[in-house]
Amino acid sequence: MGKYIVRRLLQMIPVVLGSTFLIYAMVFAMPGDPTAGKCGERACPPAYVKEFREKYNLDDPLPVQYGKYMGNVLQGDLGENQYGIPVAEDLRDRFGVTGKLASMALVFQSVVGILAGILAGLRKGGFIDNLVIVSTLFVISIPIFVSGFVLQYFFGLELGWFPVLVGADATFYRLLLPAMVLGSLSLAYIARLMRTNIAENLGSDYVRTAKAKGLSNRRIIGIHTLRNSLIPVITFLGYDFGALLGGSIVTEGIFNILGVGGYVFTSIGNRDGIAVVGAVTVLVLVYLIVNLIVDLLYGVLDPRISHD
Amino acid sequence: MTERNQTPHDANPDERLEHDDAPLHDNKPGEGGELPTESHEKQTPTSSSAAIAADDTGTARSLTADAWRSLRKNPLFWISSVLIVGLLAIAIFPGLFTDQNPDYGDLGRARIDPNSTHWFGTDRQGYDVYTRTIYGARASILVGVLGATGTLLLGSFLGLVAGYLGGWVDTLISRIGDIFFAIPLLMAGIILLSATRSMDTLLGVPLQGYFGTIFQLVLVLVLFGWPAIMRLMRSSVIQVKPNDYVQAARALGASPLRIIRRHVMPNALAPAIVVTTINLGVYISVEATLSFLGIGLVPPAISWGVMINDSLVFLRSGTTLHALFFPALFLSICVLAFIMLGDAVRDAFDPKSRDR
């Protein structure tokens, strides 16, 4: 197990370095002018351009620039947004809200998705199975920003069940509808994955053995089948966390949630490149860390993985 | 079957195999006449002659022919195909479906509810929503198709190279793939597109105008989509390469190109096609999301994402709900069709899921 953790950590290093370099290169090494649009309609005065280039080390060779940038990121310095406020400071206040929203969505999608998947998989071809298959197909094909606005319109504006916008006071109740919207897409995938796994495992040899031993149905499904079927779902949750964070940009924009995603959303609208890149870099880093944790967890859950 | 019986026997090995087993099941003519694969197994214990013949066809029929047989029995495949053909027709010949000008806005007719002249109503700028929905299909589908094709080509090429050459080339390509794979598509799109916004040209391609904006989106999708296909292709090559028949072909002096074409591609193509079909749906959805965020396609380009973005501004007044509804409906149907097709193709190629 220890060996496995060390190996995974070592494998992680080049990916983190590479992907942050890629993000940096996309923003600062592109042939465009990074100060374009910063001074309104006019071109920026040379003094400003000079200061900007100096501040972000744009006259150094690219690897040096990147090294300095990463050094700053590691010290918690993500540059300043167009109002001169450090991006890291902005993000610090917003992380709690996004964390809350993401974990609510995560709980919602895993609980409902796994339950729906179990019910569908136990009776393949039955009514619930068909219902799950058809409804998940619809959920998958409707983009999250459409479903977000539609639900906001009906439940928030027409019926008044939920607040239309979340705003500064992000309570559990206020985040409920956004969290369901955010979790809906992954919910559909989880339900489908769980359904396939359950159905596949029910036909496997160990289930037949358990039946032959005379175990109760409850034990066969509750202990044996369920545990084995959950492993791929957990891997999926890790892989899908990126989509969840990406979705939070859209959801937080729609419901005016003052989290990291909402920050990216407004910064795109303001054409504030530094703020966008800083926030997205942080989101990618969070995604990589979550993936690493899931990978390690996977080694614990499935002993076959860590012993090779 | 009747059409195929007239084709010459040496046309295609797959077709010929279908002919050979045709007399066996000739008592049931027509499209649905072929017995499903499961019934071959049921026959085995009962009649020995039929069992031998059935076993022969079962093993000799190629995967593609097998997949096609189960595919055309799947209603999902036909529903999604009809939808896709319809949407493609709209995208290629929008003029056939409407004689209006999508760029003609008249504030005098703004925010009209759907009626007999304006089927889908008009939006707040007085644009006819139906006309724009029809013309919007082109950009959305173009981005999806070009993005998915580009991803398939780049991913397959790199996967073949990595798997075939092995060694440090493989390590290099795989690690670069890991890096691109680690950045979620939407976030990559946001970063790259916010950088290209201030640029006039990229790789010699002008970024302004209709094709410029489409090019940027396709670039993002290909650049961050290829690792999935690359991994598929690479593992297929690595699986196939040590086989005796490949070694024999190589010993006989077959060029790498020929080995890849004759022995690797047939094995690797199925999963790649499945992923590409699903990618089509996903990419169209990503385009709409990026356009909704305001950094994908921008007016004057018309796409469903752009229309949805336009209509949202005044949504809360509740007067132009139809301007949101119809492009969203078309977008969802389009994504649905491609994802359904991907599901059907995957089921056809995956024997495990075929026993439903």
Side-chain angles (χ1 to χ4, degrees), chain B residues 16 20 59 89 102 124 138 152 154-155 160 164 181 189 208 235 263-264 289 308:
Chain B
R16 222 174 58 208
D20 291 348
T59 47
R124 65 192 171 88
R138 180 176 287 178
L152 179 68
L154 182 66
L160 289 173
Y164 197 85
F181 199 69
Q208 313 305 325
S235 62
H263 302 302
V264 175
T289 309
I308 293 169

Side-chain angles (χ1 to χ4, degrees), chain A residues 138 141-143 146, chain B residues 304 326-337:
Chain A
F138 278 103
S141 51
I142 300 173
V146 173
Chain B
W304 296 323
F326 289 105
L329 180 74
F330 270 67
L331 173 64
S332 302
I333 288 176
C334 186
V335 177
L336 180 75

